[in-house]
């Protein structure tokens, strides 16, 4: 599923942008929201898991591969919710001697597990649905109709509960439930049509559409996870804006050896060498560094390590990059 369950945490006592740091343990109000978010995710997990298991039984009972494929979809959501819930707790761990940047990236393990399960399940569903297209079997349309109505009600209730949440995590998970609601609306329409028209092929076609949607989401999820692991520049950060931020300070000639990466898709890190036009004393240099870091936070850089060099004494193997 979408890798929409990453957990940003402040392990370096920096003040994050409010929208990006929703685990501020220095604020009682934020601590309350953090606890509330965990409760909402926990409730959503149990609702989703119970309903997914019910769907599996219902899918076999109604002989509907569309319901079975939606059961797979919901089980995938449950895996994501479960790992989100787990890493909501795990992210409270501060950095230590083993993981000096903290535990945010552990959430990627959950993303990979979820993706593998969903890929295997989706391929199985596509195979079954493809065979059904050539040998259609009429499902129990009344049973499908009942499950579709229950599916819309259950997923709709979970979506509304999470939509009222104040964290990014809750809002992202609410989008998963919106997707589930739309899937059940499709099953509802299909079951109504099959009640009046002899068209059993609608069931496997619905199933194939759901499976393809799952695989597209998995692809996006995996692509994002690989970019994080391979330390690509985060989507939320513009390298050009970072370079411009440095050049906005008249004391700086340019930068080189610039590296930008992200821990978990939200907590972004930068290291660079900044070349000074003229040497500065210790106190003005510290003031300049503080101003630079404050400016970088405005463009989604939460942790910056800056090494200053004087013009003419820059690293020999690096060319100055003023743009």
């Amino acid at each position: 599923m979408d890798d929409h369950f990453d957990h940003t945490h402040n392990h370096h006592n920096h003040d994050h942008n409010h929208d990006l740091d929703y685990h501020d343990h220095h604020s009682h109000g934020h601590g309350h929201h953090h606890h509330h978010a965990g409760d909402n995710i926990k409730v959503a997990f149990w609702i989703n898991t119970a309903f997914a298991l019910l769907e599996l039984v219902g899918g076999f009972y109604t002989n509907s591969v569309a319901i079975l494929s939606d059961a797979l979809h919901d089980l995938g959501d449950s895996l994501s919710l479960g790992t989100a819930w787990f890493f909501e707790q795990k992210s409270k761990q501060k950095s230590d001697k083993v993981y000096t940047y903290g535990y945010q990236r552990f959430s990627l393990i959950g993303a990979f597990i979820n993706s593998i399960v969903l890929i295997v399940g989706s391929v199985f569903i596509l195979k079954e649905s493809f065979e059904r297209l050539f040998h259609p079997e009429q499902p129990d349309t009344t049973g499908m109709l009942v499950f579709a109505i229950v599916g819309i009600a259950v997923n709709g209730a979970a979506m509304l509960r999470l939509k009222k949440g104040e964290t990014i995590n809750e809002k992202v998970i609410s989008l998963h439930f919106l997707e589930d609601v739309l899937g059940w609306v499709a099953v509802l329409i299909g079951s109504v049509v099959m009640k009046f028209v002899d068209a059993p092929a609608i069931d496997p076609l619905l199933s194939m559409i759901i499976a393809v949607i799952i695989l597209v989401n998995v692809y996006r999820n995996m692509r994002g996870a690989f970019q994080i692991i391979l330390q690509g520049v985060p989507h939320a950060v513009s390298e050009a804006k970072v370079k411009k931020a440095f050049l906005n300070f008249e004391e700086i000639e340019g930068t080189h050896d610039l590296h930008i990466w992200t821990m978990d898709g939200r907590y972004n890190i930068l290291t660079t060498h900044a070349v000074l036009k003229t040497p500065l004393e210790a106190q003005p240099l510290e003031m300049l560094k503080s101003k630079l870091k404050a400016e970088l936070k405005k463009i989604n850089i939460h942790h910056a390590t800056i090494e200053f060099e004087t013009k003419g004494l820059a690293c020999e193997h690096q060319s100055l990059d003023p743009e």
Side-chain angles (χ1 to χ4, degrees), residues 170-238:
E170 289 170 288
K171 292 183 189 302
V172 163
I173 298 170
S174 78
L175 292 176
H176 277 282
F177 283 107
L178 174 61
E179 190 179 273
D180 289 342
V181 169
L182 295 175
W184 279 113
V185 169
V187 173
L188 177 67
I189 294 167
S191 63
V192 170
V193 171
M194 283 187 285
K195 254 191 170 314
F196 300 101
V197 181
D198 184 25
I202 289 175
D203 182 55
L205 280 172
L206 283 171
S207 176
M208 291 173 88
I209 290 167
I210 293 168
V212 168
I213 289 169
I214 294 170
L215 288 172
V216 168
N217 283 338
V218 168
Y219 167 72
R220 288 175 180 167
N221 210 19
M222 293 290 277
R223 186 177 64 179
F226 271 114
Q227 184 170 3
I228 292 169
I229 288 171
L230 298 173
Q231 295 185 309
V233 175
H235 292 297
V237 176
S238 164

Side-chain angles (χ1 to χ4, degrees), residues 4-293:
H4 301 105
F5 309 107
D6 300 331
H7 307 289
T8 310
H9 198 65
N10 186 349
H11 294 284
H12 304 274
N13 293 325
H14 292 298
D15 295 326
H16 294 191
N17 177 288
H18 176 74
D19 289 327
L20 292 166
D21 183 11
Y22 47 89
H23 295 307
D24 187 348
H25 294 278
H26 301 286
S27 161
H28 175 74
H30 283 199
H32 172 72
H33 295 323
H34 173 86
H35 178 70
H36 187 65
D39 285 346
N40 275 350
I41 293 170
K42 183 167 69 173
V43 170
F45 169 75
W46 286 118
I47 289 173
N48 208 69
T49 303
F51 188 64
L53 295 173
L54 189 65
E55 278 181 282
L56 281 175
V57 175
F60 286 111
Y61 175 75
T62 59
N63 195 31
S64 169
V65 283
I67 289 180
L68 282 173
S69 60
D70 209 272
L72 169 73
H73 190 180
D74 281 352
L75 281 172
D77 275 348
S78 288
L79 272 171
S80 295
L81 285 164
T83 51
W85 182 18
F86 172 77
F87 287 111
E88 189 87 19
Q89 306 306 315
K90 190 75 174 172
S91 67
K92 293 175 185 176
Q93 286 187 231
K94 294 184 178 180
S95 57
D96 53 32
K97 290 179 181 177
V98 179
Y99 298 102
T100 55
Y101 273 116
Y103 286 77
Q104 299 102 311
R105 200 169 276 190
F106 272 61
S107 59
L108 294 177
I109 298 169
F112 278 109
I113 293 169
N114 296 346
S115 298
I116 291 164
V117 169
L118 289 170
I119 288 168
V120 172
S122 296
V123 168
F124 172 75
I125 291 292
L126 283 171
K127 176 179 171 292
E128 289 293 310
S129 302
F130 192 71
E131 289 174 2
R132 283 275 185 105
L133 279 177
F134 295 100
H135 306 286
E137 298 176 22
Q138 183 68 29
D140 178 351
T141 53
T142 303
M144 283 183 71
L145 190 65
V146 170
F147 263 95
I149 292 167
V150 175
I152 291 167
V154 170
N155 288 287
M159 178 190 74
L160 290 173
R161 175 170 178 138
L162 286 159
K163 198 174 182 182
K164 291 174 185 173
E166 299 189 16
T167 68
I168 294 172
N169 208 16
E170 289 170 288
K171 292 183 189 302
V172 163
I173 298 170
S174 78
L175 292 176
H176 277 282
F177 283 107
L178 174 61
E179 190 179 273
D180 289 342
V181 169
L182 295 175
W184 279 113
V185 169
V187 173
L188 177 67
I189 294 167
S191 63
V192 170
V193 171
M194 283 187 285
K195 254 191 170 314
F196 300 101
V197 181
D198 184 25
I202 289 175
D203 182 55
L205 280 172
L206 283 171
S207 176
M208 291 173 88
I209 290 167
I210 293 168
V212 168
I213 289 169
I214 294 170
L215 288 172
V216 168
N217 283 338
V218 168
Y219 167 72
R220 288 175 180 167
N221 210 19
M222 293 290 277
R223 186 177 64 179
F226 271 114
Q227 184 170 3
I228 292 169
I229 288 171
L230 298 173
Q231 295 185 309
V233 175
H235 292 297
V237 176
S238 164
E239 192 174 343
K241 283 185 180 178
V242 168
K243 290 176 180 177
K244 188 179 176 184
F246 277 91
L247 293 176
N248 282 341
F249 290 84
E250 59 182 20
E251 299 95 331
I252 294 176
E253 175 81 12
T255 60
H256 66 80
D257 203 19
L258 174 65
H259 302 285
I260 309 165
W261 71 99
T262 182
M263 281 303 300
D264 56 4
R266 298 198 187 282
Y267 188 83
N268 304 320
I269 301 165
L270 170 148
T271 63
T272 193
H273 291 202
V275 180
L276 300 168
K277 290 178 181 175
T278 55
L280 290 175
E281 295 293 325
Q283 192 172 351
L285 200 61
E286 284 302 312
M287 287 178 66
L288 174 61
K289 188 187 288 185
S290 295
K291 288 177 185 175
L292 271 168
K293 288 185 176 183

